[in-house]
Amino acid sequence: MASGATSDAWPSSPYSSSAPDGEVLRSLHRLARDLSAAEAPAPFLRAVFAAVARRARLLAAVFDDLLLCGAGAGPLLPRSASLCLRELLLVLQRFKALVADCAARSRTRLLLQSDEVAARARELQHDLATLLDLLPVADLGLADDVSDLLALTSRQCRRAAAPELELKAGVLALIQEVEREIVPERERLEGVLEDVGINDPASCSDEIETLEREIGDRVADRWTSSMIALVGLLRYAKCVLFSAATPRPVDSKVDLDDGDGDDDAEPPSPPLDFRCPISLELMGDPVVASSGQTYDRDSITRWFGSGKSTCPKTGQVLPNLELVPNKALKNLISRWCRENGIPMESSESGKAEPAPVVVGANKAALKAARMTASFLVKKLSASFSPEATKRVVQEIRQLAKSGSDNRAFIGEAGAAGLLVPLLLSEDSALQLNAVTALLNLSILEANKKRIMHAEGAVDALCHVMCSGATWRAKENAAATVLSLAAVHTYRRRLGRNPRVVDSVVRLARTGPSSTKKDALAALLCLSAERENVARIVDAGAAEAALSAIGDAEAAAAVLASLAKRGGAEAIVALDGAVARLVAEMRRGTEWSRECAAAALVLLCRRAGAAAASQVMAVPGVEWAIWELLGTGTDRARRKAASLGRAFRRWAAAANAEQGTECPTSGDATALTMAS
């Protein structure tokens, strides 16, 4: 019998061993027809799959004749023939599984594994030939011409086609040349991709995405190093052969007001809660610091490694540097990634480290990335058509999104100075791509300096925030300001610029939800510098943050930051500010409740009786404090306890002035005991 076609393998088949012979024949006929129409998943496997299709066509004719003769409709077939046909069914099922498996793989991975695929096809054809030789043709009563078809099929199965190994060797040689910093010739690169079956921007992009997903899924450890190098080479080829050299039209339709609009090629932007506050990137391994804030493990570990012991988001000194995995958030991020077809990287401790990648392949990938960045920036600096400019900027934007090495190479090539003037473009698509490219670049520390020192960069960002063609562009400009303000000296410089402050405050007040969140985050960062607070308050930041309470989580944090550094009186003077903070302390998210309590404590300390009297006048404030004491984070409970003590103290003082005893209501007594 055929190898692997044993009784142990039979239960995996969807066809029971008790299935009628007629059903088995119909299944054989159906499978043979399907295989006869199967197409090669890549040009270099055409000979292998064409051979399989030819054998399947011959078998389909044989099974068709058996069905027409009613061989399986009446009495049972001879036992030996029945068993042999059932084994044939298993072999054809494995053939179909091989076809489906190859169709799901990236073409470049198929090329690397082409000899393995061909060997598997040869083994299956050998099994098929063996079963055809064992089939009792005489017992089936087949006509001579049908018997000849079976004999022909058996002979052909023993002459399996070989894969095209020359192409594989050529691709591996190309990787080695890139590693030695030899720039591939355009004609040679074009020829290789054509032989692989990649001949347009869409197929190249699909190949990159599939290859990256396979690398992340560790589907072929033996070839991981070469696959990583191929991703870099394909990105370079995409820019040189398709995107930048032969630009295709870009949809310049403006974004919708909710900020979700963008060109079809752009993946959905991760929700704000899924992005690390430090790197602004999708979190692969979210962890909770002792402040209760969530960060990506790599980012917060680097933060602590630089000697800092504060929470980057709140600025508070951390009692310890322990990190707790946020498994609930990680599950949500994983689900979002699956639904949107986005690979998710994870660095969670406790899991096995990935197998080390061959240094040479990493080197080849880095060299290819450097070549791609250099090519794109040179194209951008050249004088050519507006459509080509849009295409190049979009490619820079995409490349800058895919890793710190790419951001470094693009920055080193001088992209920042070339992108800044494009922020003033009246073309909405070009403006959006340029500002988003700068945002992606700004994540890297060295690029922050390059952007801040680029002539007119700050003014151009202000132009986009004030007069940008789309809300998405305005939002990304505000996010760029936030990223740049992460550096202490730049935070001061940006805060001293009235236009920057006015633009960010205007977005926080008038923008749609997603834009408002980025603007408030930028205000929170700018307000961490005491000397900026007066200008921020004068620009109306307190009013903007107050109006956003309930809609944006960072609104209460902005008010707390302003109150801490000199803005308490301005906040207390706003109509209804204290009442809205109390309401947020009851109904907000975990972080916003914590920040609302912190803001109220700071208002009472900084503004004194003016704030305390307003807090006391809010109906249900005692219950709000009590709830937070029971359900808030550690920091929230501490702030609630402080607020309870302040409330009790000011209540006692007010009663003393009136000559009455301090009230001893249940809530007040509970607050006293809790605090």
Side-chain angles (χ1 to χ4, degrees), residues 167-182:
L167 178 60
K168 176 180 174 180
V171 169
L172 294 176
L174 197 59
I175 291 174
Q176 293 175 354
E177 290 175 12
V178 170
E179 181 183 339
R180 297 197 301 270
E181 300 187 38
I182 300 174

Side-chain angles (χ1 to χ4, degrees), residues 261-406:
D262 202 353
D263 52 86
D264 293 338
E266 174 66 10
S269 177
L272 185 64
D273 292 341
F274 292 177
R275 287 185 274 170
C276 176
I278 299 174
S279 68
L280 304 181
E281 293 184 307
L282 186 70
M283 289 186 280
D285 184 12
V287 291
V288 182
S290 56
S291 62
Q293 305 306 316
T294 298
Y295 302 94
D296 189 65
R297 185 183 293 276
D298 287 342
S299 298
I300 192 65
T301 301
R302 285 196 298 269
W303 175 271
F304 292 154
S306 66
K308 300 182 178 71
S309 59
T310 57
C311 174
K313 195 169 183 180
T314 65
Q316 70 180 103
V317 177
L318 300 174
N320 60 70
L321 303 184
E322 295 179 3
L323 300 173
V324 179
N326 191 335
K327 294 183 179 179
L329 180 59
K330 184 170 184 178
N331 289 337
L332 290 174
I333 294 174
S334 298
R335 185 194 308 165
W336 182 87
C337 288
R338 287 194 302 271
E339 291 173 352
N340 292 279
I342 294 174
M344 179 180 175
E345 298 180 0
S346 173
S347 59
E348 183 176 346
S349 61
K351 291 191 176 181
E353 291 293 326
V357 176
V358 179
V359 174
N362 274 339
K363 185 177 179 182
L366 290 175
K367 296 298 182 184
R370 190 184 292 276
M371 289 177 187
T372 305
S374 177
F375 173 82
L376 289 171
V377 174
K378 285 179 181 178
K379 282 288 183 181
L380 186 58
S381 64
S383 176
F384 60 115
S385 73
E387 285 298 317
T389 301
K390 284 198 291 187
R391 197 63 219 153
V392 171
V393 173
Q394 187 179 32
E395 289 300 328
I396 290 176
R397 167 188 177 177
Q398 295 293 334
L399 187 64
K401 189 172 68 172
S402 57
S404 58
D405 289 324
N406 290 333

